[in-house]
Amino acid sequence: MSHPYKRDRPLSRQGGDMTDIADRYRRLAAVLDHRIESVPADRWESPSPCEGWTTRDVVAHLIDWHGGVAELGGLTLPPGPPVEDDPVAAWRHTRDAMQELLDDPERANTSYEGMFGPTTVAATADQFLGLDLIVHGWDIARGAGLDDTIPPEDVAELLPTIRQLGDNLRRPGVCGPEVPVPDDADDQTKLLGLLGRRR
């Protein structure tokens, strides 16, 4: 999943939005923590719903994208354990480094010129890391044979955003073709269908 979009919502340096972003990341990361820590040792090489990627590859993508978000503002995350050796430790290191960045208003509010104008590292992390933590968390759970239920509040928050993206989701490297679902499908199934995933 590539990320050609940027949020342009202004952020406050007084707390407010910044605290919300850091706390939201902390909550979403905790859900992903449980999924990653629950992957059986023999399932890291299992195919994930992301075509051509194993469960380990999905974790590697998440780690790479965290570093990429920091780099958009000229920042860096410290290198951690290789995901090839220990995906759980690699994820924990990256999670902690991003949380530390988001908890620091000066670094989190680092601005840069996005595709649609000025934005910040925190704004990009909030929208696109948040999306990835939810969606790729499902991919990891699915690939590893775990409970892949997405918390209902996350589905409710994400579904309108995904609908608004429309055809932008079909750009190369983002999501595959929409998967049709019944009109009476639950919201998680509808969300996954829009993301090109089958429940």
Side-chain angles (χ1 to χ4, degrees), residues 153-176:
E153 62 270 25
D154 295 335
V155 173
E157 183 173 342
L158 190 56
L159 189 54
T161 299
I162 295 301
R163 283 175 169 153
Q164 289 174 5
L165 288 174
D167 290 341
N168 285 321
L169 287 171
R170 310 305 157 205
R171 292 186 180 187
V174 182
C175 293

Side-chain angles (χ1 to χ4, degrees), residues 32-67:
L32 183 60
D33 291 347
H34 177 71
R35 295 195 190 281
I36 290 177
E37 291 165 1
S38 299
V39 175
D42 63 350
R43 295 299 295 266
W44 284 112
E45 308 312 320
S46 297
S48 80
C50 300
E51 185 176 358
W53 285 5
T54 64
T55 301
R56 187 189 304 270
D57 292 334
V58 178
V59 177
H61 164 74
L62 281 165
I63 289 170
D64 289 345
W65 179 225
H66 275 62

Side-chain angles (χ1 to χ4, degrees), residues 29-126:
V31 175
L32 183 60
D33 291 347
H34 177 71
R35 295 195 190 281
I36 290 177
E37 291 165 1
S38 299
V39 175
D42 63 350
R43 295 299 295 266
W44 284 112
E45 308 312 320
S46 297
S48 80
C50 300
E51 185 176 358
W53 285 5
T54 64
T55 301
R56 187 189 304 270
D57 292 334
V58 178
V59 177
H61 164 74
L62 281 165
I63 289 170
D64 289 345
W65 179 225
H66 275 62
V69 168
E71 289 172 4
L72 289 171
L75 307 174
T76 59
L77 299 182
V83 71
E84 294 81 5
D85 296 341
D86 191 339
V88 176
W91 161 246
R92 288 173 177 164
H93 172 87
T94 300
R95 172 205 64 200
D96 290 347
M98 180 55 69
Q99 189 68 64
E100 184 179 349
L101 187 158
L102 293 175
D103 284 335
D104 179 352
E106 183 174 351
R107 288 195 294 157
N109 269 313
T110 300
S111 61
Y112 70 96
E113 191 67 24
M115 183 177 292
F116 302 119
T119 187
T120 67
V121 170
T124 303
D126 189 34

Side-chain angles (χ1 to χ4, degrees), residues 131-197:
L131 187 155
D132 266 20
L133 293 177
I134 296 170
V135 176
H136 286 317
W138 183 87
D139 293 329
I140 289 167
R142 192 73 166 179
L146 306 171
D147 177 8
D148 59 18
T149 303
I150 300 173
E153 62 270 25
D154 295 335
V155 173
E157 183 173 342
L158 190 56
L159 189 54
T161 299
I162 295 301
R163 283 175 169 153
Q164 289 174 5
L165 288 174
D167 290 341
N168 285 321
L169 287 171
R170 310 305 157 205
R171 292 186 180 187
V174 182
C175 293
E178 180 177 350
V179 174
V181 301
D183 291 340
D184 61 352
D186 62 83
D187 284 348
Q188 177 170 324
T189 301
K190 291 177 181 177
L191 174 66
L192 294 170
L194 288 169
L195 293 167
R197 289 160 167 81

